[in-house]
Amino acid sequence: MSPNEGGDAESHPNAAQEVIAVDADDQEQGTVNRLDAHTGEGVRHRAFTALVFDGEGRILLGQRAPDKRLWDTHWDGTVASHPRPGQSQKDACRQRLIDELGVTPDQYGDLRITDKFEYKRYYENAGLEWEVCAVLKVTLDDTTLDPAPEEIAGRLWVDYDHLHGHPRAYRQLRLCPWFEIAMRRDFE
């Protein structure tokens, strides 16, 4: 059964993972089950989104796989996830770049945290995101990718300035809300 079809919450892979619960100032409040953090009224928790660029100023958009429980098939800029307890945002990002895109640290050298914001968004009847989200940026020296199909359904290099300046031209992509917030804040 696909995670989007409901079923027993205890059998969902996210039910076996913990995320870091935080207050509005991103101060740790313990851990919470990842599935519990994303259902019902949710629990505010720590997350990150990574914006991956090439040397020409293009951003890599990643389409979330169809089996993702939340925002399936939406386009993200580029990977997003949650640090595990005891893991830094940068270390979590490095791991997700490997896991989702096959991008290794020798392909970049400038991974940096550029912003942080809180948001809460509901997705259809499947759940919600309530996160204090760090934004990380990285520019690839080597754009070789090996995406994991269970994570990334598609990928697209887009001129970042054009995407921001002409969002209607990209509306068919259905961008993830956290990416739209990160991009808007990046240009403020």
Side-chain angles (χ1 to χ4, degrees):
M1 175 180 296
S2 166
N4 293 327
E5 295 172 351
D8 181 11
E10 295 301 318
S11 66
H12 192 276
N14 289 353
Q17 299 174 9
E18 296 288 312
V19 295
I20 302 165
V22 295
D23 66 14
D25 295 319
D26 197 29
Q27 298 301 307
E28 291 189 26
Q29 305 293 303
T31 61
V32 62
N33 177 276
R34 182 173 170 179
L35 192 59
D36 291 342
H38 292 92
T39 55
E41 288 304 308
V43 176
R44 182 189 300 117
H45 57 282
R46 188 171 289 159
F48 68 88
T49 187
L51 309 183
V52 176
F53 295 90
D54 68 7
E56 299 173 33
R58 297 181 306 168
I59 188 169
L60 177 61
L61 299 182
Q63 184 182 34
R64 291 169 60 84
D67 285 338
K68 293 279 191 181
R69 199 170 84 54
L70 302 175
W71 281 273
D72 52 306
T73 71
H74 283 63
W75 289 81
D76 198 356
T78 301
V79 299
S81 193
H82 311 88
R84 293 184 313 268
Q87 187 180 43
S88 74
Q89 296 283 27
K90 284 186 176 181
D91 287 343
C93 183
R94 285 184 194 98
Q95 188 61 54
R96 292 312 297 168
L97 287 169
I98 293 168
D99 294 347
E100 293 190 21
L101 292 171
V103 170
T104 58
D106 62 337
Q107 292 177 254
Y108 57 87
D110 67 338
L111 181 64
R112 62 210 179 274
I113 297 174
T114 61
D115 194 14
K116 185 177 4 177
F117 59 88
E118 179 179 346
Y119 74 101
K120 187 175 187 178
R121 297 290 188 282
Y122 291 86
Y123 180 65
E124 299 175 352
N125 292 321
L128 75 155
E129 299 284 1
W130 185 11
E131 299 177 334
V132 175
C133 184
V135 179
L136 293 96
K137 287 186 177 180
V138 64
T139 301
L140 299 182
D141 300 317
D142 173 0
T143 58
T144 303
L145 305 172
D146 184 20
E150 67 276 7
E151 298 288 344
I152 306 286
R155 58 192 186 278
L156 179 66
W157 288 102
V158 176
D159 181 273
Y160 190 51
D161 291 334
H162 192 265
L163 174 63
H164 176 263
H166 302 90
R168 291 184 62 190
Y170 299 91
R171 66 178 170 230
Q172 76 278 9
L173 295 181
R174 299 184 318 144
L175 300 174
C176 292
W178 56 88
F179 170 62
E180 288 185 295
I181 294 167
M183 181 174 55
R184 182 185 72 239
R185 290 172 57 95
D186 198 33
F187 281 86
E188 289 178 349

